[in-house]
Amino acid sequence: MEIIQIKNLIKRFPMGKGEFTALRGIDLSFGKGEFAGLIGPSGSGKTTLLNIIGSLDVPTEGQVTVLDKSIGHLSTKEAAQLRKESMGFIFQSYNLLQVHTVYENVEFPLLLLKLNGTERKKMVMAALEWVGLTDKVKSKPPQLSGGECQRVAIARAMVKRPSLVLADEPTANLDAANSHNILRTMETLNSELKTTFIFATHDDKVINYLHRKIFLLDGRVDKEEIVTETKTAAS
Amino acid sequence: MKLAIKLAFRNLIGAGLRTWLNVIVLSFSFVIIIWIKGVMAGWDYQAKTDMTNYEIGGGQYWQETYDPYDPLTLDISNAKIPSELETEIEAGNMEPVLIVPGNIFPQGRMQAVSIKGIRPEQTLLKLPTEKLDTVTDAIPAIIGMLMANNSRLKIGDRVTIRWRDANGTFDAAELLITAIFSSNVPSAEAGQVYIPLERLQQMTLLEGHATVLTFSDPEATRPEIAGWKLRTKADLTYQVDEMIKTKSVGQSVLYGILLLLAMLAIFDTQVLSIFRRQKEIGTYIALGYTRGEVVGLFTVEGTMHAVLAAIAATIYGLPLLLWQAKVGWTMPIDTSDFGMAMAQTLYPKYTVGLVVSTVLLVTITTAIVSYLPSRKIAKMNPTEALRGKLQ
């Protein structure tokens, strides 16, 4: 079952007096429960594509449908609603709310969904248990290590059990041990909750975990690989 | 809105010292504005109360030619007390006062005065008129502190007084000062000599005459009386209102500057906040906020400074303001020369309306000042904000 369909996606940005084309006719689709990655060097268009899938940006041309919603035709409010209800984001620099505790950071998406306190607490604690941070609920991001911050970000992305999680270079600021730890957590959540994960990365550690690898080059899909046996399975 | 308030509170508390500096500055504005307005309200209240107690009562009928600012017509500004008011006068609810021009000669100097005839048994005004009921060979008289200071008269002093009767004949007699009162009302003291009404009527051959009829109840409906002009309490305190209005404008400049300084701090904080927290703004949008909602969040956050300032002002300002209301504010210079009703010590008077209007003024101003820089968020590109790229 496809939850994302991308047809002839073109994205141009104004640059000086001219335009820069970041995506040049992308055709892709993603099914439910995929653990896929957009791989490519800097400037290949992976983050741009991820932003459009995440309804943070709109296509210049072409059609992008995410969870039956046409991204190019959504109002700001509808796009926000889509992100709020169905998407989780994981960023390279974690983007945690610095003055909030771990608990409050993870609770934030549930507050937006207006869930009641008891329900929120149950879901936040479950999410923190997935990432092994139940002992850090009262800590604030500046008191955590990079690995712990990214685990909080994963918990925040997963707490509302979204259909889709978009991760932009999630391991770029982490050492190898922490990267593997994070990736294993995400892989487990993917298999247990059937959440679709799409990564934008050029980190080999991440690439090794991906079940589907989409290589981008100069705004085009260069090649695509489906992996039947991942690093976790192999190890 | 509830969520925005919750988040804004967390953000503000999390911001630590920066928040508290703004809150303290803003709380000064609260306390000082309330104090200044309280002093003005206290002055207004004190001036009107003193005027009511010592001079105007609940309002007055003036003989139609009477003009307190025209001494040349004072000797003809009297008329027979209207018969329809006699019952009220007998009941003590109305007090006739006869005013004629005269001169006194303290220490050999001549000083123009208004001689006021008032019944010694009256209780409508707080003047110590019972001291006029003194058996003496001279005419018993009471004067205000201001008059006493100017003419260097004290209780027990005797002074010559000269007047003209209804036929224009000059006459003179000796006054005995039996009491000196302090009213804070210059017009009730400066150049005023109070003697028994009947005595003055006999002296001037104006039996049954009065210039002013002061009544006690300001609420009662007063009929029009031929030959007399009705002056309500509002008419008689008009000048106080005007003076306080004028003074309030001057004071408004002071608290306007204070508020401006506090608002500059809030504006600066908001601009800095939006500049430094672009990533956070992008994150809010990624997590499901619209840009408009983020603008709302930052506006609430800025406005909450005013709420916290109100709380801080309550904590340290309330005892301070209450203490001031108790001990008052003593004017550094002699207020008796100001020419208007003003006590030497002003007691601030705080009303619910005053506090609520100040809180609303500061909060609404803070909300506007917080909103203005926050509008920039509405134009931000979320993908660039997420990367913390300056926009």
Side-chain angles (χ1 to χ4, degrees), chain B residues 287-307:
Chain B
L287 292 176
Y289 255 7
T290 61
R291 278 177 287 196
E293 284 169 331
V294 183
V295 172
L297 173 65
F298 274 70
T299 305
V300 170
E301 208 173 296
T303 309
M304 208 167 265
H305 282 104
V307 177

Side-chain angles (χ1 to χ4, degrees), chain B residues 16-322:
Chain B
L17 189 62
R18 190 158 42 93
T19 297
W20 295 116
L21 281 173
N22 283 331
V23 165
I24 293 295
V25 171
L26 202 52
S27 71
F28 286 154
S29 301
F30 269 118
V31 174
I32 292 173
I33 292 172
I34 290 174
W35 181 73
I36 290 173
K37 284 186 167 184
V39 168
M40 287 293 159
W43 178 14
D44 181 55
Y45 176 78
Q46 166 265 319
K48 286 178 180 170
T49 305
D50 286 342
M51 284 177 76
T52 302
N53 288 341
Y54 287 95
E55 192 176 29
I56 63 168
Q60 292 177 329
Y61 280 109
W62 287 3
Q63 193 276 335
E64 62 185 352
T65 57
Y66 174 60
D67 177 356
Y69 302 108
D70 183 7
L72 299 176
T73 57
L74 194 54
D75 52 356
I76 55 157
S77 298
N78 57 73
K80 272 264 180 215
I81 297 168
S83 55
E84 60 262 47
L85 298 177
E86 271 170 13
T87 325
E88 213 172 342
I89 293 168
E90 287 306 313
N93 296 327
M94 184 173 279
E95 202 49 50
V97 178
L98 175 63
I99 309 172
V100 294
N103 296 102
I104 58 168
F105 299 85
Q107 289 95 38
R109 293 177 292 115
M110 188 174 82
Q111 187 178 345
V113 294
S114 289
I115 310 166
K116 286 186 171 176
I118 188 165
R119 296 187 303 174
E121 67 274 20
Q122 71 83 32
T123 52
L124 200 150
L125 299 174
K126 276 192 174 173
L127 297 167
T129 51
E130 70 279 1
K131 298 286 183 187
L132 297 176
D133 199 9
T134 305
V135 180
T136 167
D137 54 334
I139 303 167
I142 60 171
I143 55 173
M145 186 68 78
L146 197 57
M147 172 77 177
N149 289 341
N150 287 344
S151 53
R152 293 177 194 163
L153 288 170
K154 50 189 189 301
I155 295 173
D157 280 356
R158 285 169 181 261
V159 63
T160 305
I161 187 165
R162 189 182 70 166
W163 70 94
R164 275 199 321 174
D165 66 19
N167 299 322
T169 309
F170 281 102
D171 202 350
E174 198 168 52
L175 288 183
L176 172 68
I177 306 300
T178 55
I180 295 172
F181 62 90
S182 179
S183 68
N184 297 323
V185 185
S187 55
E189 293 190 25
Q192 313 290 309
V193 174
Y194 296 81
I195 65 170
L197 176 65
E198 273 189 29
R199 189 76 181 261
L200 182 61
Q201 287 170 336
Q202 288 162 11
M203 284 156 58
T204 53
L205 308 176
L206 292 168
E207 273 88 356
H209 279 232
T211 305
V212 167
L213 303 164
T214 305
F215 47 82
S216 57
D217 186 1
E219 305 296 331
T221 314
R222 292 278 158 192
E224 289 292 328
I225 298 172
W228 296 81
K229 291 181 290 190
L230 178 63
R231 289 279 182 268
T232 62
K233 198 171 173 178
D235 296 333
L236 296 167
T237 55
Y238 171 76
Q239 282 186 324
V240 175
D241 290 335
E242 285 301 300
M243 177 56 77
I244 284 172
K245 215 182 277 176
T246 311
K247 289 280 172 196
S248 296
V249 172
Q251 305 293 359
S252 299
V253 173
L254 176 68
Y255 63 70
I257 292 170
L258 257 169
L259 202 56
L260 183 74
L261 287 175
M263 289 305 119
L264 269 174
I266 300 287
F267 189 84
D268 188 47
T269 302
Q270 287 291 94
V271 170
L272 195 68
S273 210
I274 291 158
F275 178 76
R276 286 176 52 189
R277 292 163 64 191
Q278 300 221 18
K279 239 181 204 183
E280 188 183 324
I281 291 166
T283 306
Y284 286 130
I285 295 169
L287 292 176
Y289 255 7
T290 61
R291 278 177 287 196
E293 284 169 331
V294 183
V295 172
L297 173 65
F298 274 70
T299 305
V300 170
E301 208 173 296
T303 309
M304 208 167 265
H305 282 104
V307 177
L308 292 178
I311 295 167
T314 308
I315 293 167
Y316 76 82
L318 191 66
L320 207 67
L321 292 170
L322 290 177

Side-chain angles (χ1 to χ4, degrees), chain A residues 110-234:
Chain A
L110 305 179
L111 287 170
L112 293 181
L113 291 171
K114 296 187 170 73
L115 298 182
N116 69 50
T118 320
E119 211 171 344
R120 286 203 308 268
K121 190 170 183 183
K122 206 169 124 190
M123 292 172 82
V124 170
M125 291 316 288
L128 288 172
E129 206 159 311
W130 294 334
V131 296
L133 282 175
T134 46
D135 57 332
K136 301 274 185 185
V137 284
K138 288 183 179 166
S139 303
K140 289 187 175 173
Q143 299 165 316
L144 303 176
S145 67
E148 286 171 329
C149 281
Q150 198 58 299
R151 277 150 64 195
V152 176
I154 294 169
R156 184 178 67 183
M158 293 301 297
V159 68
K160 61 188 173 191
R161 317 269 173 106
S163 307
L164 176 65
V165 170
L166 303 169
D168 191 3
E169 306 278 12
T171 56
N173 290 342
L174 302 178
D175 59 25
N178 267 314
S179 297
H180 287 297
N181 192 356
I182 295 294
L183 288 160
R184 269 196 295 272
T185 306
M186 289 197 270
E187 197 178 37
T188 308
L189 290 169
N190 165 253
S191 62
E192 282 180 8
L193 304 173
K194 301 292 170 217
T195 305
T196 304
F197 276 78
I198 301 177
F199 295 82
T201 187
H202 60 264
D203 182 351
D204 287 340
K205 298 189 290 291
V206 180
I207 295 168
N208 288 336
Y209 276 85
L210 298 173
H211 301 182
R212 182 183 171 196
K213 302 171 186 176
I214 300 156
F215 292 89
L216 298 180
L217 190 65
D218 295 333
R220 290 194 180 87
V221 177
D222 187 39
K223 60 177 179 171
E224 207 178 322
E225 282 177 18
I226 305 288
V227 182
T228 49
E229 204 174 80
T230 63
K231 186 180 174 88
T232 318

